[in-house]
Amino acid sequence: KFPKAAEIEAQIDTRSYRRGVGNLFLNTQPNGKVKKLAAMPAKPTFLDFFKLRMEQTSNHVLQSANRAMKTGMTEEIILACLLHDTVHALIKTDHGYWGAQLYAPYVPEKVSFAIRYHQALRFYDDKEAGYEYPDLYRNMFGEDYTPLPHIQADYKMLKSHKWYMEPRLVTVNDLYAFEPGVVVTIDPFI
């Protein structure tokens, strides 16, 4: 039903792109071309970046934040859900770590922590919290995929960390934020 990790690895030389590069730098459609980037205002705000550079992940993170808001999560979790995958515009590999570094100077520490470690927790079930390893990842990484050592080490550390639930709640809201046809605006979060 799902590919093996070795089969995913074997696909690398068959593509015209490398998985992991940010959305602004590639087009995965057959014969697709990247688009020119819209000009940014002279003094861009976060909303300008969100609308003009993070377009490909914006609906996903908006769905995630919207779900977190509707289920009564804290403002910190809602904000972490809103930001957690926006760094995909620049880089996908280790996106949790890169995203946390990008936002750490501007957000509360728990938000940055949640963004950083959602990446590790997404590879591990927590049925009690409402998270099951998704079929999407079995297809992306292979059904026999073993997370890299740094991900395993982070998971081991997180299991007993006082803030474990912050990144876990990002993964829970992330899991249900790929609904086709559901469009969420940023207005409720401004």
Side-chain angles (χ1 to χ4, degrees):
K1 181 179 174 185
F2 299 106
K4 300 286 187 194
E7 293 171 304
I8 301 295
E9 181 82 14
Q11 293 173 3
I12 292 172
D13 327 31
T14 67
R15 296 188 302 256
S16 60
Y17 62 92
R18 181 177 306 282
R19 278 185 48 207
V21 69
N23 295 328
L24 290 177
F25 306 106
L26 81 149
N27 184 318
T28 58
Q29 302 304 311
N31 301 315
K33 305 288 184 220
V34 293
K35 297 177 186 172
K36 282 188 175 185
L37 295 175
M40 294 292 277
K43 294 184 178 183
T45 66
F46 172 75
L47 287 177
D48 295 318
F49 279 96
F50 194 82
K51 292 174 182 172
L52 299 172
R53 296 296 183 263
M54 301 167 182
E55 181 181 16
Q56 288 184 305
T57 56
S58 64
N59 198 55
H60 164 65
V61 297
L62 286 167
Q63 283 187 31
S64 178
N66 190 52
R67 183 179 189 280
M69 191 167 58
K70 284 183 174 181
T71 56
M73 302 286 154
T74 65
E75 284 190 12
E76 289 172 326
I77 298 302
I78 295 167
L79 182 57
C81 288
L82 183 63
L83 300 175
H84 79 280
D85 280 349
T86 56
V87 77
H88 277 208
L90 303 173
I91 190 166
K92 291 184 181 184
T93 302
D94 281 337
H95 72 281
Y97 302 96
W98 287 105
Q101 290 179 64
L102 177 68
Y103 293 117
Y106 311 103
V107 299
E109 187 179 0
K110 276 187 183 178
V111 173
S112 177
F113 185 90
I115 293 168
R116 177 182 178 96
Y117 292 113
H118 90 278
Q119 178 182 329
L121 290 185
R122 70 187 181 139
F123 292 108
Y124 299 94
D125 281 333
D126 184 340
K127 291 183 174 96
E128 214 173 276
Y131 184 81
E132 292 186 38
Y133 189 73
D135 287 348
L136 171 70
Y137 294 164
R138 289 183 181 90
N139 278 318
M140 280 177 67
F141 301 106
E143 67 178 341
D144 58 342
Y145 177 74
T146 301
L148 295 170
H150 70 286
I151 299 290
Q152 293 177 39
D154 282 349
Y155 176 63
K156 184 178 178 183
M157 176 275 295
L158 287 164
K159 288 192 295 185
S160 60
H161 196 283
K162 66 182 179 179
W163 289 349
Y164 168 82
M165 284 308 291
E166 274 69 16
R168 176 49 75 199
L169 290 172
V170 173
T171 66
V172 168
N173 289 289
D174 191 24
L175 189 60
Y176 301 103
F178 293 97
E179 296 297 321
V182 175
V183 178
V184 182
T185 69
I186 198 162
D187 297 341
F189 308 104
I190 298 176

